[in-house]
C-alpha cells in the first residue's frame, strides 16, 4: 500500500483486486495529526473511491486513488 505524507496528513492509497469482475478497485485512507505517535488518527476512513470504475491495472487504480486522496484533502482543508 503506497503511503505519502502531505503536510500534516498521511494518505494511504491502494488498489484491491476485485473478485466478482476482472479488474482493480481504488481505495483511500487519510490520517491526520495525533497527539500519540503510536496511534494513527483516521480522519477519512478506508473507502473505495471511483466506485463506478473498474481499472485494468493495479497501477491505474493506485493513480486514481492518489488523485482522489489529494482532492479529499483539498476539500477537507
Amino acid at each position: 500500500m503506497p503511503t505519502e505524507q502531505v503536510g500534516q496528513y498521511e494518505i494511504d492509497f491502494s488498489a484491491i483486486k476485485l473478485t466478482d469482475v476482472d479488474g482493480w478497485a481504488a481505495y483511500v485512507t487519510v490520517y491526520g495529526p495525533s497527539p500519540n505517535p503510536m496511534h494513527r488518527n483516521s480522519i477519512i476512513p478506508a473507502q473505495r473511491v471511483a466506485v463506478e470504475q473498474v481499472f485494468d491495472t493495479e497501477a491505474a487504480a493506485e493513480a486514481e486513488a492518489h488523485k482522489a486522496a489529494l482532492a479529499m484533502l483539498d476539500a477537507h482543508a
Side-chain angles (χ1 to χ4, degrees):
M1 171 182 310
T3 301
E4 180 178 331
Q5 191 74 31
V6 177
Q8 62 182 347
Y9 302 101
E10 181 180 345
I11 57 174
D12 289 347
F13 50 98
S14 62
I16 296 178
K17 182 79 168 141
L18 298 172
T19 58
D20 54 339
V21 295
D22 186 29
W24 296 83
Y27 280 82
V28 168
T29 308
V30 178
Y31 300 96
S34 174
N36 180 348
M38 299 300 290
H39 175 77
R40 291 170 46 166
N41 180 26
S42 175
I43 60 167
I44 299 174
Q47 59 186 278
R48 184 174 174 185
V49 295
V51 177
E52 299 290 322
Q53 289 183 280
V54 174
F55 298 91
D56 293 332
T57 65
E58 181 178 15
E62 286 178 352
E64 183 62 29
H66 183 255
K67 185 173 95 177
L70 294 177
M72 288 176 180
L73 285 179
D74 283 343
H76 191 269

